[in-house]
Amino acid sequence: MTTPAPRRMAAKTIADDLRTQIKAGALSPGDVLPTSRELAESYGVTLKTVNAGIDLLKVEGLVIGEQGGRRRVRANRPIVWNLTRFERGSRRDSAAGDDWSTGIRDAGREPEQHVTVHTAQAGPEVAAWLQVPAGSDVVQRVRLRTVDGQPYQLATSSFPMSIAKGTPLMDQGDVSMPGGILASIGHPQLHVRDEITIRMPSPEESKQLQLPPGTPVAEHVRIGYGEAGPVRVMVTIAPGDRHRLVYEMDV
């Protein structure tokens, strides 16, 4: 049985009105929405129609649901991720944190990285990026990056075993060194290639990043090249509502 057209139009009207209030700032990030009963009385519709309208905003990522039935305007504070400066030139790595963490602190935010390290067999994509045979051993450093205690990125860096074996790249935990680990072990990145894809997240990514329904992500692939070829590929999953990606270049 299909939903009657008047109900669909009423739900869309409620969503349009609330969206306009959110965009205009009448409903600010973190504000609690009026209750379903209040909205039903205001618009002269049923609770089912109100909930259908709010569901449209949930799918768009403008509204999130909470325990107890409350709905709030999503309140994420995006970070500016300048990919032109990231890991470029005189890197900001130190014993206190890598280039990414330093950039977050410089913006007045609090970074943290939860890092696990393991050996894996290179799948077709990683093998192509690193120019190694598929199935060959690589070392992977998997990071969950948080900002102010909230998950912001999933980043997996893969290194050829010939480069990583017996080096700090195999150490568990958030390891950082002045100039970056690769430079410190004699394999600096001399240039990089970036590939960015916009897509919907996998269920596992949604869970790890605590994504509301309907939130797209950017998949940022950075391949780092040394003198003899690729030395690292890093795949970062960045929620679209928590990032502003920036590039700067001379023309």
Side-chain angles (χ1 to χ4, degrees):
M1 179 178 178
T2 58
T3 304
R7 181 183 296 169
R8 290 200 300 270
M9 291 303 296
K12 184 177 183 302
T13 296
I14 293 169
D16 289 345
D17 286 352
L18 291 174
R19 186 188 303 106
T20 298
Q21 293 180 54
I22 292 170
K23 297 293 187 182
L27 285 170
S28 301
D31 281 356
V32 178
L33 296 185
T35 67
S36 293
R37 189 169 301 279
E38 290 170 340
L39 289 170
E41 292 176 356
S42 176
Y43 286 94
V45 297
T46 64
L47 293 176
K48 186 173 183 180
T49 299
V50 168
N51 291 333
I54 293 176
D55 283 345
L56 294 174
L57 299 180
K58 287 183 178 179
V59 170
E60 294 174 21
L62 293 175
V63 169
I64 59 173
E66 297 181 338
Q67 289 184 345
R70 295 179 304 180
R71 280 78 62 99
R72 290 183 183 270
V73 179
R74 188 166 7 182
N76 291 322
R77 294 174 57 201
I79 60 172
V80 176
W81 195 18
N82 192 315
L83 292 165
T84 309
R85 301 176 185 174
F86 178 53
E87 300 185 325
R88 184 178 182 184
S90 180
R91 290 176 53 134
R92 298 168 292 179
D93 303 70
S94 69
D98 63 8
D99 191 272
W100 183 87
S101 293
T102 302
I104 297 299
R105 288 196 184 93
D106 287 348
R109 311 285 293 273
E110 185 58 38
E112 191 172 355
Q113 300 194 75
H114 307 272
V115 185
T116 58
V117 183
H118 62 272
T119 300
Q121 292 184 331
E125 281 190 320
V126 170
W129 288 325
L130 291 179
Q131 298 177 16
V132 298
S136 60
D137 285 345
V138 295
V139 172
Q140 293 188 327
R141 299 184 62 83
V142 182
R143 291 179 172 87
L144 172 62
R145 292 171 168 159
T146 68
V147 178
D148 301 330
Q150 182 181 15
Y152 264 65
Q153 293 182 356
L154 291 173
T156 300
S157 294
S158 300
F159 306 86
M161 181 60 73
S162 59
I163 289 176
K165 187 175 182 179
T167 74
L169 291 172
M170 302 190 73
D171 293 347
Q172 295 290 340
D174 186 12
V175 180
S176 58
M177 298 179 176
I181 298 177
L182 281 168
S184 71
I185 63 174
H187 293 280
Q189 297 180 109
L190 302 180
H191 70 277
V192 299
R193 170 186 169 86
D194 283 0
E195 302 174 4
I196 298 176
T197 303
I198 308 301
R199 60 173 175 79
M200 297 307 294
S202 69
E204 182 62 23
E205 290 166 346
S206 292
K207 180 179 179 181
Q208 290 182 279
L209 291 168
Q210 300 175 16
L211 301 179
T215 305
V217 296
E219 180 180 284
H220 172 256
V221 178
R222 171 161 288 187
I223 308 164
Y225 297 86
E227 291 184 352
V231 294
R232 183 199 69 173
V233 59
M234 178 169 62
V235 180
T236 302
I237 309 302
D241 63 329
R242 301 172 200 173
H243 291 78
R244 184 178 302 128
L245 305 183
V246 174
Y247 279 93
E248 299 172 342
M249 60 193 73
D250 295 329
V251 294

